[in-house]
Amino acid sequence: MPVKRYKSVVSLLAFVAPAFIIYSLFLLIPTIGGMYYSFTDWNGLNRNYSFIGLGNFIEALREDPDFVHALLFTLKYVLFMIVLQNVFALVLAVFIETKTRTKGFFRTIFFMPNMISTIISAFMWTFVFSQVLPQLAEKTAASFLDQLWIGDPSVSFYSIIIVSLWNGVGYMMIIYLAALQGVPQSLKEAAVIDGASPFQTFRKVTMPMITHAVTICFFLTLNGAFKVFEVVYGLTGGGPGRSTQVITMNIYEEAFSNNFRYGYASAKSVILFVIILLFTFIQIGVMKRKEVEA
Amino acid sequence: MRLRKGANLFITLFLCIGAVLSFFPIYLAIINSVKTQGEMFASFTALPTKLHFENYSQAFSKINLLSSTLNSVIVSVIGIGGIIFCAALAGYKLSRTSGRLSAAIFSLFIASMLVPFHSIMIPLTRMAKALHVSGSTYGLAVIYIGLGVNMAIFLYHGFVKSIPRELEEAARIDGCGEFQTFFRIIFPLLLPITVTIAILDFLWIWNDFLLPLLMLTDSTKYTLILSTNTLFGEYNKEWSLILAALVLTALPVIVIYGFFQKFIMQGIAEGAIKG
C-alpha cells in the first residue's frame, strides 16, 4: 500500500510540476513577495531595508491625498461600470436575440470593438474626443459636443466611461447572449399563452433563468473595473494633474516613475487586492442568494 | 417571441444607432488614415477624395511593423502553447486524483486567480530581472505562461470530468504508460476546451499592454501594441500617421476575428460559464 501511494504522489507531482514551477516563479512567489515588501521601507535598490509594520498602509490611507483620491475615483468608476456595462450588454443581448435574421450582423458589430486592444481603443477615442467632436460641434452647432472631453476632469470621467463601455460591452453581451440561448423556447411560449406580455415574460421567465450569467458578468465587470489602467493611461494619462488617476496608475507611478518606493507601492497594491477580494465576496454572496431564490 | 410593431421598430432603431456608434471610431480612424493632414482638418467625417497611402508606409516603418508583429506572434504562440501544455497536464491529473495534496495544489492555483496583476507587478519585475527573463521576447512569453496557467487549469479540471475513465483504463491495459495515455488518448479529447483556452489567451496576450511595457526596454523586442504606444507618445499631433498605425495594429485581430468569429464567441461564452 505505501509503495502504491508513494507512486501516485510521484505521478501527481510529475504531471503538475511544469505548471507549478512556472506558476510559482511568476505568480505565487511575487504574490507573497509583494505582501512581504508591503511591510518594509524598501526602495527597490538598497540591500538594507527595515520592517515598518503597518506604516505604509497607514501612510497610504491617512497621509496620501493622491492615493485616496485615486481610490475614490476608481470606486466611482467601478460603480458606473457595473451598472452601465451590464445594463447595456443585457439590453443589447435581449434586443439582438429578437432579431432572428440580422442577429449575426449586430452581434458582429457590437463585439468588434472588443477585439481592439484597450490601449489602441483609447488612442482612437483620443482622436475622436480631441479632434473630431470639437469640429463636429463647430460644423453642426451641436453645442453639447463642444466639451473639454479630455481636459476637464469632471467631463473626462465620462469620456473614460464611454471608451470603457465601447470596448467592454461586447464581451458581456456575448455572455448574456449565450445565457439567453439557454432559456428553453417552450417556457417563453407557455408564458405567452398564459397571457404574459413580452416584458412580463422577460422579468418572470427569462431573468430568473439567466441569473448565473448576471453573477458572472457582475464579477467580471467588478474585477476588470478595479484594475482599469489602459483606458485612462491612453486617454488622459491620469491628468490633468492627477485628477483622473486610478489606483493602478497611482501604484505604477509610485513604483516605476516617481520615487521608486517599492515597499510603499507594494502596500498600496495589497490594499487594492484586499478591496477587490472584499467586493468580490460581497457581490458573489449577494448574487448567490438571489440565484437560489430564483 | 412576437412583438408589437412599435416595439419592433424601436428595437431596430436602437440597434441601428448603437451599431453606428460602435463602428464610428473605427470608421473615422480608417477614413482619416488615408487623408493628408490638410484634408483631414477640413473635415474629419468626409470621405477622402484621394487615397493617400504614404501615412501607411510611414507608419509601417515607424512601428517596425514586421518585426513587432513577429514579436507579438512569438510571444503569443509560445505563451499559449506553454499554457496549454502545462495546464492540460496539471488540470487532467488534478482532476483525476483525489486526496488532500491534489486538492491543496488545485486550491492554490484557483485562489491565485483573484490576485490582480497590479498587485504583483513590482515583485514580478524583480523576479524577471533576477531570472534574466526581462527584456526578451521569449522571457515575456514564459511569464505569460506563469500568469495564465491557473485559469487554464481550472477550465481543464472541469472539462476532464466529462471524459469517461474507462478510456484511460483501456489504454493502460493495452500497455500505455501514464504520459503516453495522456498524450495519445486524453489530450486529443480535450480539444474543445483547448480551443477555448487558446482563444481567451490569444486575446489577452496579443492585446496586453502593461506587462510588455514593464518587461521590454529594447525597441527591437517590442510587441505590436507597445510599438504603437511609443509612436503615440512621439508623434503626438501627427494624426494621420498615428491613425494609420492604429489601423495597422488593429487590423490583424479584426481579420482573425472575421475568420474565427464563431469560435471566439463560443470560447468567451464557455470560458465565462465554466469560469
Side-chain angles (χ1 to χ4, degrees):
Chain A
M1 246 349 228
V3 176
K4 204 174 169 197
R5 191 157 162 230
Y6 169 77
K7 260 192 172 170
S8 85
V9 167
V10 169
S11 117
L12 172 69
L13 293 181
F15 272 86
V16 173
F20 197 76
I21 290 168
I22 212 159
Y23 153 86
S24 300
L25 288 176
F26 299 113
L27 188 52
L28 187 61
I29 297 173
T31 305
I32 298 165
M35 289 180 183
Y36 171 79
Y37 293 141
S38 69
F39 297 106
T40 71
D41 62 358
W42 193 41
N43 64 4
L45 299 167
N46 270 14
R47 263 167 202 278
N48 303 321
Y49 52 84
S50 44
F51 266 90
I52 51 168
L54 292 173
N56 287 327
F57 294 90
I58 293 166
E59 185 184 343
L61 295 170
R62 283 225 187 124
E63 293 149 36
D64 193 337
D66 287 335
F67 179 71
V68 174
H69 178 267
L71 194 74
L72 295 175
F73 189 83
T74 310
L75 277 175
K76 188 172 144 195
Y77 172 84
V78 170
L79 231 102
F80 269 75
M81 283 305 285
I82 286 189
V83 175
L84 294 177
Q85 179 142 289
N86 285 287
V87 167
F88 274 119
L90 186 58
V91 168
L92 283 178
V94 170
F95 281 8
I96 288 174
E97 176 84 312
T98 65
K99 302 263 154 221
T100 33
R101 253 179 299 163
T102 44
K103 200 164 157 181
F105 168 76
F106 282 119
R107 203 176 48 178
T108 305
I109 288 283
F110 287 119
F111 184 67
M112 197 188 278
N114 194 267
M115 289 287 97
I116 299 172
S117 150
T118 324
I119 190 88
I120 302 300
S121 307
F123 292 153
M124 265 184 198
W125 276 94
T126 306
F127 170 68
V128 176
F129 284 138
S130 71
Q131 310 292 322
V132 180
L133 293 187
Q135 196 191 61
L136 265 183
E138 211 176 287
K139 286 193 170 163
T140 60
S143 56
F144 77 98
L145 289 176
D146 195 17
Q147 305 262 7
L148 281 171
W149 291 100
I150 299 173
D152 176 352
S154 60
V155 183
S156 49
F157 173 76
Y158 296 100
S159 305
I160 292 168
I161 295 280
I162 290 172
V163 182
S164 307
L165 288 175
W166 182 76
N167 202 236
V169 161
Y171 198 92
M172 305 300 157
M173 181 196 76
I174 295 296
I175 299 172
Y176 281 125
L177 266 173
L180 286 173
Q181 250 138 31
V183 180
Q185 201 62 37
S186 56
L187 276 183
K188 287 192 240 170
E189 277 160 16
V192 174
I193 290 167
D194 288 346
S197 70
F199 186 71
Q200 277 174 321
T201 315
F202 176 73
R203 240 194 82 46
K204 300 284 182 191
V205 179
T206 313
M207 235 4 225
M209 298 286 293
I210 61 166
T211 357
H212 67 286
V214 180
T215 311
I216 292 158
C217 287
F218 269 56
F219 168 78
L220 290 174
T221 313
L222 184 100
N223 248 274
F226 267 116
K227 298 181 210 165
V228 58
F229 181 88
E230 276 95 338
V231 173
V232 186
Y233 180 94
L235 212 56
T236 67
R242 289 194 173 117
S243 54
T244 57
Q245 202 177 55
V246 285
I247 306 180
T248 52
M249 282 182 85
N250 186 278
I251 296 170
Y252 178 83
E253 196 185 90
E254 195 73 62
F256 299 106
S257 59
N258 236 13
N259 13 18
F260 301 100
R261 291 182 64 189
Y262 272 58
Y264 186 46
S266 296
K268 288 177 171 184
S269 55
V270 170
I271 294 175
L272 171 66
F273 182 29
V274 171
I275 291 176
I276 293 183
L277 270 187
L278 209 72
F279 273 77
T280 305
F281 281 129
I282 294 172
Q283 184 245 326
I284 302 235
V286 170
M287 303 287 268
K288 280 284 171 213
R289 219 172 305 147
K290 281 246 165 75
E291 270 180 48
V292 174
E293 267 173 36
Chain B
M1 217 186 322
R2 278 275 165 81
L3 286 173
R4 260 171 292 150
K5 243 190 176 159
N8 205 349
L9 194 72
F10 170 76
I11 290 175
T12 311
L13 207 67
F14 184 94
L15 288 178
C16 287
I17 293 173
V20 169
L21 289 178
S22 184
F23 192 63
F24 190 55
I26 302 174
Y27 164 80
L28 284 172
I30 294 172
I31 61 162
N32 286 297
S33 64
V34 287
K35 290 179 190 171
T36 60
Q37 202 85 348
E39 195 183 352
M40 203 165 80
F41 285 107
S43 169
F44 290 112
T45 44
L47 285 168
T49 49
K50 192 172 165 284
L51 301 181
H52 292 271
F53 286 109
E54 3 2 319
N55 298 322
Y56 278 91
S57 55
Q58 219 188 332
F60 194 92
S61 63
K62 287 259 158 62
I63 59 173
N64 299 318
L65 189 81
L66 290 182
S67 84
S68 53
T69 304
L70 184 67
N71 289 337
S72 282
V73 170
I74 292 174
V75 174
S76 304
V77 169
I78 297 179
I80 296 168
I83 289 173
I84 287 172
F85 176 79
C86 296
L89 278 171
Y92 159 71
K93 194 71 190 179
L94 288 170
S95 183
R96 283 290 193 248
T97 316
S98 50
R100 247 179 290 168
L101 181 64
S102 159
I105 296 174
F106 183 63
S107 316
L108 196 60
F109 278 123
I110 300 316
S112 62
M113 278 164 66
L114 282 171
V115 178
F117 174 73
H118 307 85
S119 294
I120 61 158
M121 64 182 176
I122 299 157
L124 181 62
T125 51
R126 309 296 304 173
M127 178 63 101
K129 278 215 184 88
L131 295 174
H132 301 287
V133 293
S134 66
S136 114
T137 318
Y138 299 95
L140 182 63
V142 173
I143 297 174
Y144 278 117
I145 302 175
L147 298 181
V149 279
N150 49 6
M151 167 82 171
I153 285 176
F154 181 62
L155 291 173
Y156 276 124
H157 188 272
F159 191 84
V160 166
K161 285 182 195 143
S162 68
I163 296 175
R165 276 169 189 266
E166 285 78 10
L167 288 172
E168 292 147 60
E169 281 156 19
R172 203 66 56 74
I173 289 164
D174 288 346
C176 274
E178 266 200 289
F179 283 97
Q180 225 179 347
T181 310
F182 174 78
F183 285 110
R184 290 222 180 143
I185 312 289
I186 304 297
F187 191 68
L189 292 171
L190 297 176
L191 186 68
I193 200 73
T194 303
V195 172
T196 298
I197 292 167
I199 286 166
L200 294 175
D201 287 339
F202 172 73
L203 294 180
W204 164 48
I205 297 175
W206 186 275
N207 284 332
D208 194 28
F209 168 65
L210 191 52
L211 187 62
L213 181 72
L214 292 173
M215 292 300 158
L216 304 174
T217 43
D218 175 2
S219 66
T220 60
K221 306 273 168 62
Y222 279 3
T223 58
L224 191 52
I225 301 291
L226 206 51
S227 292
T228 309
N229 172 58
T230 339
L231 188 69
F232 192 82
E234 275 173 41
Y235 301 87
N236 217 343
K237 289 289 176 290
E238 282 185 56
W239 277 111
S240 41
L241 169 63
I242 289 166
L243 291 173
L246 295 186
V247 173
L248 282 176
T249 309
L251 211 61
V253 214
I254 293 195
V255 170
I256 289 174
Y257 170 54
F259 280 112
F260 297 107
Q261 221 193 95
K262 207 183 103 204
F263 294 104
I264 291 178
M265 291 186 182
Q266 212 179 323
I268 287 170
E270 260 169 43
I273 287 162
K274 299 225 172 79

